Amino acid sequence: LAKTTQPISMDSYEGQEVNITCSHNNIATNDYITWYQQFPSQGPRFIIQGYKTKVTNEVASLFIPADRKSSTLSLPRVSLSDTAVYYCLVGANQAGTALIFGKGTTLSVSS
Amino acid sequence: NAGVTQTPKFRILKIGQSMTLQCTQDMNHNYMYWYRQDPGMGLKLIYYSVGAGITDKGEVPNGYNVSRSTTEDFPLRLELAAPSQTSVYFCASSYGVGLKSYEQYFGPGTRLTVT
């Protein structure tokens, strides 16, 4: 599984756009990039997944450049409730795959 | 759907005691997983199951046992609890095949302290 590197923490204010970048230099051809969100005292929750270019859903956007060695999770107009830990994972897109969570990025949103 | 449910929410064990963490999912998922999360760290896979009657070890299986007699239930057994097993335990499940087979659904966790 490709190793990922992401900032330990980020701070933001309500209403701002937040971009969290993840580096994965050794990503394999069949690897997908997946982001999970974890609130305190809760289990992780799937946010978004992509393979290349851009993916958008009701929660976030995921930007992946052509070389796929990095990716950026974009959260539009964050609110206090977006305060959480965000994990970037890289691996095969198949069931049964163990999810390798690093320490993630702790996002703190203030008013 | 209740999703993935775990019991108990909290538990304190003495060294050497045993207990079973319960996990149930009502989404008819084939795959189920047990992770542990130590303070300030990511999750580590303990065991997983691809269907009833089939289980396999993950990254940190020592000190734990699992069984999968039904699709819905995947209990995790701790034998001879040790302080190193103090952690938050998460159960998760996912579809076996199809477009969303990669997406895992997590339970709320069980916070275990061994003293």
Side-chain angles (χ1 to χ4, degrees):
Chain A
L1 291 172
K3 181 180 177 180
T4 61
T5 302
Q6 53 183 123
I8 295 295
S9 64
M10 295 182 67
D11 296 314
S12 182
Y13 291 97
E14 285 189 292
Q16 291 187 332
E17 179 184 72
V18 171
N19 295 309
I20 306 174
T21 298
C22 179
S23 297
H24 28 79
N25 291 321
N26 297 321
I27 189 169
T29 302
N30 61 343
D31 283 344
Y32 280 70
I33 299 149
T34 309
W35 287 80
Y36 277 75
Q37 173 192 55
Q38 185 178 26
F39 297 114
S41 302
Q42 294 187 28
R45 181 177 75 105
F46 170 87
I47 301 177
I48 197 166
Q49 186 188 73
Y51 184 81
K52 61 180 179 181
T53 62
K54 176 183 174 182
V55 180
T56 297
N57 62 22
E58 65 278 5
V59 176
S61 294
L62 179 59
F63 299 91
I64 306 168
D67 66 6
R68 302 198 333 119
K69 293 184 182 301
S70 67
S71 58
T72 299
L73 175 73
S74 181
L75 304 172
R77 297 181 297 281
V78 295
S79 65
L80 296 176
S81 62
D82 291 315
T83 294
V85 179
Y86 293 83
Y87 297 96
C88 167
L89 295 86
V90 173
N93 186 25
Q94 60 189 30
T97 302
L99 297 181
I100 307 297
F101 288 81
K103 294 186 178 181
T105 297
T106 298
L107 172 65
S108 298
V109 180
S110 304
S111 58
Chain B
N1 285 350
V4 179
T5 57
Q6 294 182 238
T7 57
K9 285 187 170 55
F10 305 93
R11 184 71 185 268
I12 298 174
L13 280 182
K14 294 189 184 302
I15 294 171
Q17 288 185 322
S18 300
M19 76 164 293
T20 298
L21 282 66
Q22 301 292 343
C23 174
T24 300
Q25 54 92 9
D26 62 359
M27 297 174 282
N28 202 31
H29 287 170
N30 290 333
Y31 286 74
M32 295 187 74
Y33 316 80
W34 274 106
Y35 294 89
R36 60 175 286 173
Q37 184 174 34
D38 298 332
M41 305 297 287
L43 282 73
K44 293 186 177 181
L45 183 67
I46 306 171
Y47 270 96
Y48 70 99
S49 169
V50 303
I54 306 170
T55 63
D56 208 347
K57 296 178 181 179
E59 184 183 359
V60 290
N62 292 342
Y64 307 94
N65 279 301
V66 293
S67 60
R68 184 96 180 269
S69 57
T70 66
T71 299
E72 296 78 19
D73 301 307
F74 190 40
L76 177 71
R77 178 79 177 166
L78 276 74
E79 304 284 0
L80 299 174
S84 61
Q85 294 178 304
T86 293
S87 190
V88 180
Y89 292 83
F90 291 102
C91 179
S93 69
S94 68
Y95 291 103
V97 293
L99 288 177
K100 290 216 164 188
S101 60
Y102 55 82
E103 182 177 342
Q104 295 187 16
Y105 297 77
F106 285 80
T110 293
R111 189 175 299 273
L112 176 67
T113 301
V114 182
T115 62

